[in-house]
Amino acid sequence: MTATCPFCAKEVPANVKRCPHCLRDAPDSDGAYELPTEAADVPAEWRRGAIYTLEFPARCPHCRELIRTLRVFRLKRTMTNFMSTLPRSGRIISCPECERILTAELTAL
């Protein structure tokens, strides 16, 4: 029997204490993440970011709502357990209506 690691989403043999892929400790429960029953507010740090206005409205491919602005967030690499040649930062562009990611990129700047 196998389970899925809640951190790296790879299959892990049942009854192990540590994921062999990401080396994080397995949770004590059955590994299922339970959503809270009450509606949680979006954290303040998720509501920040730059707002860009589109020249012409577009439709979000996820929620199909007409959008006139985009929200842009900066990515910053915070941890790697090897010498990475990947860029240290990047950008994520999200829909202001459904808050899903529209595009993401890593940049060297």
Side-chain angles (χ1 to χ4, degrees):
M1 183 175 187
T2 61
T4 302
C5 175
F7 303 105
C8 68
K10 293 184 180 176
E11 287 192 18
V12 177
N15 300 323
V16 296
K17 299 290 181 194
R18 184 173 282 238
C19 172
H21 305 287
C22 67
L23 303 176
R24 292 189 181 184
D25 290 334
D28 293 332
S29 66
D30 62 358
Y33 177 77
E34 293 189 24
L35 294 173
T37 54
E38 67 279 350
D41 290 334
V42 175
E45 62 268 15
W46 291 6
R47 285 187 251 130
R48 290 189 296 213
I51 304 290
Y52 285 82
T53 302
L54 298 171
E55 184 177 4
F56 299 103
R59 196 167 297 277
C60 174
H62 301 290
C63 66
R64 307 299 300 156
E65 290 292 323
L66 201 61
I67 55 176
R68 299 179 194 296
T69 61
L70 296 172
R71 190 173 297 258
V72 179
F73 298 93
R74 180 174 180 245
L75 291 174
K76 183 178 172 186
R77 182 172 67 197
T78 56
M79 185 191 95
T80 117
N81 48 1
F82 57 91
M83 182 61 85
S84 177
T85 58
L86 292 172
R88 293 182 178 176
S89 64
R91 303 278 185 268
I92 288 180
I93 299 175
S94 70
C95 170
E97 298 298 322
C98 67
E99 298 178 346
R100 289 188 181 164
I101 295 173
L102 299 176
T103 186
E105 67 179 22
L106 295 176
T107 58
L109 299 176

